């Protein structure tokens, strides 16, 4: 078995590559299939026409349709973005894609925990992505930015997250706060979110801070010994970026202001040139251990970024919107560096606005995340990243669901009318000579919608009943005012 497996691996490595080694000009359906089989990357009709120029386009389209019907090839996408990949089940018979060590799960060691290694469930579509990404870099096909990948996406028509997955995410992430003010849930768990997301996102960039080190840094300003200044700065930048998102969550959107400033905060003191923070890159960049070459040209990048943001804003489902940003922002690489960190925090904006559980990337192995992103870079395939997203979100929900139960949740009506209620409490106490109930009813009738007057009146009376010398400063009251009012009206309200 081991000898057979080595033979299969060798075959995968030395197999001819698309654009690197042309096949003999045999114009047959089998030859077309062999091109798709050997390439291990999605191919469009135009790609295949370039490889087989002697085959008429209509003939090529007819053969592709036949290969799909025979179960040898899968078609993905529509229109110009339609591409063809070898069918996983059919290619398994050739021993090229499936591997014994990930038939159902993606297994990784987890150095930060004493438990068993995390098991990330894999969909069938993800396994061929892994099969290609795990090939040596020198035999993978160099590829540049594919504009068709973005152009083929139609908001609320195209979905990277199928409806069953979106429904599953909603069931997991809905904390029964959809009617509350945007960001309410995020602010409720702010301290925990800053620690978890700052630590986990930094860890995916190779940061060696432990979670305990991160707690000490964020809560007490104590930098960990033996760590680089860059690692410390990275954690603090995450903290500031999360605060920025929550402070502006009601106004923030997928626009240049939000994205550029988010990047500026995350990249502070980490880029070679200070001016590059929050600015579209002006030079070419490379991706380590990848054959992907991002787009070049500030004007071109800027134009594509605007198109990307327009599509992102148009997406109505917060999970699809979140995942879209996780896919396309790193793929475009609009900044000189810190693109993936920006995408991970930006992916939380739709969730925070909808008061859904945030995505903290807790326990996500660095290797798993990197390979998932490589699947996007080199194959414009999202399935592997989608599997990781679903698994990571489930872990986040498990963490924050228990935390939410420990928190005392603010009353949304009290939050909405907090300034009015405080003002009414002050007026009642300051006017000690007037009838408290009559004064409350008059003020409520003047300032509150009829359907909410009874509830607000009850809130004012409740706060007056609980008023004591240790809480009067909250209402800008002086001790003498409180004493005078208490002597006349305290019993009236109790």
């Amino acid at each position: 078995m081991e000898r057979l497996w080595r033979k299969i691996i060798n075959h995968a490595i030395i197999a001819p590559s698309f654009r690197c080694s042309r096949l003999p000009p045999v114009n047959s359906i089998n030859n077309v299939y062999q091109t798709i089989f050997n390439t291990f990357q999605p191919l469009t009709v135009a790609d295949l026409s370039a490889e087989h120029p002697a085959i008429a386009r209509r003939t090529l389209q007819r053969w592709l349709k036949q290969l799909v019907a025979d179960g040898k090839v899968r078609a993905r996408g529509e229109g110009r973005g339609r591409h063809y990949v070898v069918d996983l089940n059919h290619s398994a018979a050739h021993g090229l894609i499936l591997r014994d060590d990930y038939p159902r799960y993606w297994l990784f060691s987890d150095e930060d925990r004493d438990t068993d290694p995390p098991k990330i469930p894999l969909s069938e579509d993800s396994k061929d992505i892994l099969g290609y990404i795990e090939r040596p870099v020198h035999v993978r096909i160099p590829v540049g930015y594919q504009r068709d990948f973005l152009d083929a996406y139609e908001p609320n028509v195209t979905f990277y997250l199928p409806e069953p997955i979106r429904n599953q995410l909603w069931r997991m992430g809905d904390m029964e706060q959809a009617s509350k003010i945007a960001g309410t849930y995020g602010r409720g768990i702010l301290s925990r979110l800053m620690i978890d997301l700052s630590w986990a996102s930094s860890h995916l960039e190779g940061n060696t801070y432990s979670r305990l080190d991160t707690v000490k840094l964020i809560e007490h300003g104590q930098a960990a010994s033996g760590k680089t200044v860059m690692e410390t700065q990275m954690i603090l930048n995450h903290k500031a970026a999360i605060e920025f998102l929550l402070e502006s969550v009601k106004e923030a959107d997928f626009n240049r202001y939000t994205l550029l400033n988010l990047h500026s905060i995350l990249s502070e003191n980490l880029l070679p040139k200070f001016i590059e923070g929050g600015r579209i890159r002006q030079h070419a960049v490379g991706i380590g251990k990848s054959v992907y070459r991002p787009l070049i040209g500030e004007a071109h990048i800027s134009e594509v970024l605007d198109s990307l943001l327009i599509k992102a804003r148009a997406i109505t489902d917060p999970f699809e919107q979140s995942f879209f940003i996780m896919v396309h922002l790193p793929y475009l690489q609009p900044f000189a560096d810190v693109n993936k960190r920006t995408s991970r925090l930006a992916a939380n904006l739709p969730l925070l606005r909808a008061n859904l559980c945030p995505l903290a990337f807790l326990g996500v192995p660095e290797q798993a995340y990197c390979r998932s992103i490589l699947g996007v870079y080199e194959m414009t395939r999202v399935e592997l990243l989608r599997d990781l997203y679903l698994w990571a979100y489930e872990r986040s929900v498990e963490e924050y669901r228990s935390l939410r139960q420990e928190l005392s949740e603010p009353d949304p009506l009290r939050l909405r009318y907090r300034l009015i209620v405080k003002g009414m409490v002050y007026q009642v106490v300051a006017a000690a000579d007037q009838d408290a109930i009559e004064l409350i009813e008059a003020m409520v009738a003047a300032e509150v919608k009829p359907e909410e007057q009874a509830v607000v009146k009850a809130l004012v009376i409740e706060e007056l009943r609980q008023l004591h010398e240790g809480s009067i400063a909250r209402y800008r009251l002086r001790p003498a005012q409180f004493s005078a009012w208490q002597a006349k009206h305290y019993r009236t309200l109790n």
Side-chain angles (χ1 to χ4, degrees), residues 50 73 137 245 260 290 368 372:
V73 169
V137 174
L245 283 180
L260 298 185
S290 176
S372 299

Side-chain angles (χ1 to χ4, degrees), residues 138-239:
H138 69 276
V139 299
R140 300 206 302 265
I141 305 164
V143 61
Y145 183 84
Q146 305 295 310
R147 178 64 186 266
D148 285 351
F149 182 37
L150 176 64
D151 289 344
Y153 187 94
E154 298 183 39
N156 309 312
V157 176
T158 307
F159 288 98
Y160 291 151
L161 302 176
E163 185 175 4
I165 290 180
R166 297 198 307 274
N167 291 340
Q168 181 181 352
L169 289 165
W170 270 103
R171 287 193 295 270
M172 289 192 295
D174 187 5
M175 296 298 179
E176 300 178 356
Q177 299 195 99
S179 62
K180 295 187 178 182
I181 296 174
T184 299
Y185 181 67
R187 282 187 288 270
I189 60 167
L190 175 60
S191 60
R192 176 69 175 271
L193 179 61
M194 282 196 299
I195 292 168
D196 290 345
L197 185 50
S198 297
W199 170 64
S201 180
S202 297
H203 182 71
L204 289 175
E205 299 300 320
N207 194 302
T208 61
Y209 259 72
S210 68
R211 192 178 183 285
L212 181 58
D213 290 336
T214 305
V215 172
K216 292 178 180 178
L217 178 61
I218 289 179
E219 293 189 348
H220 308 292
Q222 179 181 339
S225 60
K227 307 299 180 183
T228 67
V229 175
M230 181 173 289
E231 288 180 301
T232 302
Q233 183 75 58
M234 188 186 295
I235 297 286
L236 293 176
N237 288 356
H238 274 84
K239 172 181 179 292

